[in-house]
Amino acid sequence: MSPLAPISVAADLDGKRIAVTGGTGFLGTALIERLLRSVPGCELVLLIRPGQRRTVEQRAKREIFKNDAFDRLRADHDGGDETFDEMIARRVTPIAGDVGTDGLGLDDAGRAAIASCDIVVHSAATVSFDSPLDSAVEVNLLGPSRIAKTLQDLDITPHLVAVSTCYVAGNRKGSAPEVPVDESPYWFGVDWRDEVAAARRIRADAEAESRKPDMLKQFRGEARKELGAAGTPLLASKTEQNRTRWVTDQLVEAGRSRAGSLGWPDAYAYTKAFGERALFEQRGDIPVSVVRPAIIESSLAEPSPGWIRGFRMAEPVIISYARGLLKEFPGVPEGTVDVIPVDLVCAAIITTAAAGPAEGAPRIVQSASGSANPLRYQTLVDNVSGWFTEHPIYDNDGQPIVVPEWQFPGRGRVQAQLERAKSVLEKSEAILQALPLRGKQAEWAASLEEKREEAERALTYVELYGAYTECEAIYGVDNLLALGDACDEASRDAFCLDPRVIDWNRYITEIHLPSVVQHARVKTTPGATNRESRSSRLRRQVLDPDRQVVAFDLENTLIASNVVASYSWLATRRLPNDERLRFVLKTLAEAPSLLSLDRKDRSDFLRHFYRRYEGADAARLHADTVEMASHLLLTKSFPDAIRRVREHRKLGHRTLLITGALGVAIEPLKPLFDDVICAEMSIDADGRFTGELTDVPPTGETRAQALLDYCAEHGFDPADSVAYADSTSDLPLLEAAGFPVAVNPEARLAALARKRGWLVEHFEKSKGFSDPLLPIAPTWRGRTPTRIAR
């Protein structure tokens, strides 16, 4: 490779127009900030994929320039001749594009903007280590060569700087120099075109397999198991989610397997390696340089010490360890963890761009620390353990979490332990989910689900990151250091790229860990938290005067009763004493079949059960419900729930009861609400109930539509509505409201509410009242006991 000419970064890039992909990511955001602040004479073109709801301009403003990375640059423009926003408008041009699409999806304006560029920095990537194989192939493998092809089509030859990764070297041991991947002795000569075709074929095969009848039946069964009788639309949506997740899982596993079979730790490194190979083959006369970072972590100094965007590779593992969730992690104590701060990577990219392309073969620069200033795994662990011992995280009770003594077992042992823990938790969770738990007892099942998810996350960390902690490759940085040597003094000061400047003990304990803890938003002080609890905050939002309409379910939300209990009371009210026991025994015997029908379809259950009212005298039933209100409904009510209804009305909220209970059975409760939507039964010419409902009973998705129709009729915004309910069958109603509240939730709803961050209320009955298995009305003192129906 030709010797480097002297480099003066800011001067060499002055007046240059630089296109950047991947600007909304961690590295891309840092790179944009550094260019705008440290190269004041350059202009940027940002290739951004349009969002479903936001334009590229909106995405740039919200996802890039509002980031705290720009606080320093923003402060520099306060009170100046040009505001920060004016500077951005003058120097930055966002354009719509997608590196995962042939031609980059550019319109005429986008092509013109790219055609005006002197340099293109391609940092866009699917960076997840467990990406589906086909998406990693489309973005990581084909993305760089798509950019080169677009530049060729535009008949321009700007300097293309492609960001790759050191881990293209694969799971090797020893030296990994800055050379093309196909010059490695570990390169197998596999054609990247075959890998692309295979990945696309695997996607098509998985999609076809997922649509087979037996698979669709499985997905629907899983949906019903999670959501219960939530209604056809939600079950259909969940079934499709399960199908697409299964397809994704197949592609993730395909990526891991293919990468492992060829000696790479995961699909990310594997597709990046083939992406380099494809780019070198397809670049034509486009001058290319490649920058390969190692594991990118928080900044050493720029734009501020510890700056980070999102959690990188190490942070989830560190926080899980600090919380006491991860007691072991595979690794080699004397092995090297090749970490590099993000600002050193940005400096390497910018300096590579300023240096220009090498003559002949592309210049390859590795931004890594392992060969020049190695961080040993034992050093990392000792620093992390010591820091969290001195600065512990606190649990919900305000007690310090004692971090475990980190061991260095093999990956297989840790995976086996976590698999066993996950299996035990799954079986326990299944048992609790099957029990008729409700309210605080249902929280046990939700808590168990949370622990299972923690075990799954820990297992994922071990599977994804274990290979990196066991990696013994040492990445050479000769070209990196040569770049630094070619820089003038001002450039070396402004664009430090030398990993030898890092004091690892200081970086870990004074810069990185404090930043990680701050971004993790964990409790770092003892005692009760001074912050408002999530429940209090959500309750305050629910009771905000700005709310407009509040919908309530009835059963197990306002009262601990149901349609069977109401019928039992009414049916026995005028029943002869000698028939009461027979009625009770018969009803209890029917309970399992009734419960099964209710779980399958609430509407079918209500239609079936309400047939029992056929022939009942409507006037007599109305009279009996007045007595039932004091004997059953009031004794079974939740006083706090009734007070909540009144509180909403006092705040000026419109209150709406939506229930599948019969109107006649809840007549005494109607004055509590502004409006009531319930099941109604037709009455024949003799004044008797027919046993047939006049309309579809308000259950499942019907309740959600009832709320939406009510809002439309009265001019309310559903986003400002509140809904209280207790069961997964009420999910459509809860999801239709802007502020859902799970009341005394069953186990499945308790788990969903916790996962979605909904308010959960536990309302209790007044103490002292009897709680019979089946409510029986007091003995009739009238002259002629009769049955409820003819």
Side-chain angles (χ1 to χ4, degrees):
M1 188 175 295
S2 58
L4 285 160
I7 303 171
S8 180
V9 176
D12 290 337
L13 295 179
D14 185 62
K16 301 297 186 185
R17 195 166 170 87
I18 305 170
V20 178
T21 71
T24 58
F26 171 47
L27 176 60
T29 299
L31 180 63
I32 292 167
E33 190 278 339
R34 195 72 168 279
L35 284 166
L36 290 174
R37 179 167 51 82
S38 300
V39 188
C42 75
E43 294 183 359
L44 303 182
V45 173
L46 307 184
L47 183 78
I48 300 173
R49 187 173 65 246
Q52 291 183 338
R53 299 180 180 177
R54 295 193 184 113
T55 64
V56 293
E57 291 80 9
Q58 291 170 330
R59 285 198 69 194
K61 183 175 181 180
R62 181 182 292 265
E63 299 176 37
I64 300 176
F65 298 117
K66 280 194 173 184
N67 189 276
D68 60 358
F70 293 87
D71 288 352
R72 181 174 171 183
L73 189 57
R74 193 175 286 107
D76 290 344
H77 282 77
D78 284 347
D81 295 334
E82 184 180 47
T83 68
F84 175 79
D85 290 339
E86 289 171 344
M87 181 273 292
I88 295 299
R90 176 175 59 83
R91 296 180 59 193
V92 177
T93 303
I95 62 171
D98 183 358
V99 298
T101 303
D102 289 341
L104 307 184
L106 296 173
D107 57 17
D108 289 343
R111 281 189 287 273
I114 293 293
S116 69
C117 290
D118 307 286
I119 300 167
V120 176
V121 178
H122 173 49
S123 69
T126 297
V127 297
S128 174
F129 294 150
D130 59 346
S131 297
L133 176 59
D134 62 324
S135 63
V137 162
E138 294 297 334
V139 176
N140 296 346
L141 196 161
L142 291 175
S145 53
R146 281 194 178 110
I147 290 178
K149 178 65 165 59
T150 299
L151 300 179
Q152 292 165 4
D153 292 343
L154 293 171
D155 197 24
I156 57 173
T157 56
H159 180 197
L160 173 56
V161 181
V163 180
S164 184
T165 174
C166 284
Y167 291 92
V168 296
N171 293 326
R172 69 167 69 181
K173 296 184 180 182
S175 175
E178 297 158 295
V179 298
V181 290
D182 58 347
E183 291 184 17
S184 164
Y186 299 96
W187 184 256
F188 301 103
V190 178
D191 194 318
W192 59 269
R193 297 171 186 79
D194 293 338
E195 300 303 296
V196 173
R200 291 172 174 171
R201 187 167 57 250
I202 291 171
R203 159 69 73 175
D205 291 347
E207 288 284 355
E209 180 70 19
S210 73
R211 287 172 165 81
K212 290 183 177 179
D214 58 333
M215 295 299 297
L216 294 174
K217 182 179 179 181
Q218 174 187 321
F219 302 142
R220 185 165 180 81
E222 293 169 352
R224 183 171 288 280
K225 182 179 179 181
E226 179 178 347
L227 301 182
T232 300
L234 269 182
L235 286 173
S237 175
K238 188 63 182 180
T239 299
E240 180 60 12
Q241 287 178 26
N242 291 343
R243 187 194 69 80
T244 56
R245 187 177 64 241
W246 181 87
V247 171
T248 298
D249 289 345
Q250 301 307 301
L251 287 158
V252 168
E253 184 55 37
R256 289 180 185 172
S257 298
R258 183 55 176 161
S261 72
L262 294 177
W264 279 283
D266 51 43
Y268 171 69
Y270 148 72
T271 52
K272 278 290 192 179
F274 278 98
E276 283 191 26
R277 185 73 191 109
L279 174 61
F280 288 2
E281 280 190 23
Q282 299 286 301
R283 69 187 181 97
D285 58 354
I286 303 297
V288 169
S289 298
V290 174
V291 177
R292 295 174 179 165
I295 300 169
I296 308 176
E297 289 295 347
S298 67
S299 63
L300 180 66
E302 304 278 351
S304 60
W307 178 82
I308 195 169
R309 178 172 185 171
F311 268 15
R312 316 317 305 161
M313 173 179 155
E315 286 71 57
V317 177
I318 289 172
I319 291 299
S320 293
Y321 168 73
R323 284 174 167 160
L325 305 177
L326 198 59
K327 295 177 173 57
E328 290 186 321
F329 201 78
V332 180
E334 63 274 20
T336 298
V337 182
D338 209 313
V339 169
I340 191 76
V342 65
D343 45 344
L344 271 66
V345 179
C346 289
I349 294 170
I350 295 170
T351 305
T352 299
E359 293 182 11
R363 175 179 287 114
I364 297 175
V365 176
Q366 294 185 159
S367 181
S369 60
S371 60
N373 183 15
L375 169 62
R376 304 299 180 191
Y377 192 27
Q378 182 73 65
T379 302
L380 173 63
V381 169
D382 289 345
N383 275 282
V384 170
S385 176
W387 195 86
F388 281 111
T389 299
E390 187 176 348
H391 308 90
I393 287 176
Y394 292 81
D395 61 22
N396 293 333
D397 297 323
Q399 298 300 310
I401 299 173
V402 179
V403 291
E405 182 178 349
W406 198 284
Q407 303 296 319
F408 297 94
R411 196 160 18 138
R413 174 182 145 186
V414 180
Q415 285 183 244
Q417 289 174 344
L418 291 171
E419 288 281 9
R420 285 194 296 271
K422 179 184 166 205
S423 177
V424 170
L425 289 168
E426 283 176 340
K427 291 175 182 177
S428 302
E429 183 185 0
I431 293 172
L432 286 180
Q433 291 279 11
L435 296 175
L437 302 178
R438 186 172 289 279
K440 291 182 179 179
Q441 289 76 26
E443 289 289 311
W444 300 340
S447 176
L448 207 60
E449 181 183 41
E450 189 172 351
K451 292 186 181 300
R452 173 185 56 77
E453 289 175 347
E454 288 174 355
E456 288 178 345
R457 278 197 298 272
L459 184 59
T460 299
Y461 298 154
V462 170
E463 291 174 344
L464 293 181
Y465 306 145
Y468 286 85
T469 60
E470 294 176 338
C471 179
E472 295 184 69
I474 304 299
Y475 304 109
V477 291
D478 292 344
N479 293 345
L480 176 77
L481 298 180
L483 274 178
D485 291 341
C487 288
D488 59 25
E489 185 175 352
S491 297
R492 282 197 293 271
D493 290 340
F495 299 94
C496 176
L497 49 73
D498 191 339
R500 294 173 296 188
V501 304
I502 306 170
D503 178 339
W504 288 117
N505 292 327
R506 176 179 174 274
Y507 172 76
I508 295 168
T509 60
E510 297 181 25
I511 297 175
H512 186 63
L513 290 179
S515 176
V516 168
V517 168
Q518 178 185 354
H519 284 81
R521 296 181 180 179
V522 292
K523 184 173 170 54
T524 57
T525 55
T529 179
N530 293 325
R531 291 185 304 175
E532 183 180 24
S533 69
R534 187 177 70 173
S535 293
S536 296
R537 175 173 51 81
L538 293 173
R539 193 174 295 115
R540 178 166 49 79
Q541 294 173 354
V542 163
L543 294 171
D544 191 299
D546 289 342
R547 302 291 84 81
Q548 298 175 345
V549 60
V550 185
F552 291 90
D553 177 33
L554 178 64
E555 298 173 2
N556 295 308
T557 300
L558 301 177
I559 61 173
S561 185
N562 53 54
V563 297
V564 176
S566 297
Y567 175 80
S568 173
W569 196 98
L570 292 170
T572 57
R573 180 69 185 103
R574 301 169 186 268
L575 196 65
N577 287 334
D578 59 343
E579 294 188 27
R580 288 187 169 213
L581 179 60
R582 189 180 306 120
F583 170 85
V584 170
L585 293 176
K586 179 183 178 183
T587 304
L588 291 177
E590 292 177 307
S593 62
L594 292 175
L595 181 61
S596 175
L597 181 59
D598 188 20
R599 287 179 172 174
K600 288 179 181 176
D601 191 295
R602 180 71 172 171
S603 295
D604 288 348
F605 163 75
L606 291 178
R607 289 191 181 93
H608 166 78
F609 190 79
Y610 286 158
R611 295 280 189 269
R612 300 170 187 233
Y613 282 91
E614 183 180 359
D617 186 288
R620 181 178 293 174
L621 218 56
H622 275 286
D624 288 346
T625 56
V626 175
E627 291 189 57
M628 184 177 70
S630 59
H631 282 92
L632 176 65
L633 300 184
L634 292 182
T635 61
K636 292 279 191 178
S637 69
F638 304 128
D640 287 340
I642 303 301
R643 280 192 286 270
R644 181 63 61 85
V645 177
R646 290 173 174 161
E647 189 172 2
H648 278 293
R649 295 192 74 172
K650 185 178 179 181
L651 288 166
H653 303 159
R654 193 77 175 233
T655 54
L656 173 66
L657 176 65
I658 307 179
T659 176
L662 274 179
V664 63
I666 62 166
E667 193 70 36
L669 297 179
K670 290 182 178 180
L672 273 172
F673 305 91
D674 292 303
D675 291 290
V676 174
I677 298 174
C678 59
E680 297 289 357
M681 188 176 291
S682 59
I683 301 174
D684 64 19
D686 296 329
R688 294 183 177 275
F689 285 111
T690 64
E692 297 178 359
L693 299 181
T694 59
D695 207 342
V696 177
T699 63
E701 62 268 28
T702 310
R703 292 191 185 193
Q705 192 59 51
L707 174 61
L708 296 175
D709 290 345
Y710 187 86
C711 288
E713 179 184 352
H714 294 277
F716 297 139
D717 184 353
D720 276 322
S721 67
V722 181
Y724 291 79
D726 71 294
S727 167
T728 51
S729 64
D730 302 311
L731 267 178
L733 172 64
L734 292 169
E735 292 186 339
F739 298 87
V741 183
V743 178
N744 302 333
E746 62 180 16
R748 283 181 293 200
L749 182 60
L752 286 169
R754 174 179 290 205
K755 195 176 297 182
R756 299 183 185 186
W758 293 350
L759 175 62
V760 176
E761 297 283 19
H762 298 293
F763 297 145
E764 297 181 354
K765 294 183 297 180
S766 295
K767 301 185 185 301
F769 292 105
S770 60
D771 194 16
L773 188 61
L774 193 67
I776 303 297
T779 303
W780 172 247
R781 299 301 180 184
R783 289 176 296 177
T784 310
T786 59
R787 298 181 181 87
I788 191 172
R790 290 180 295 190

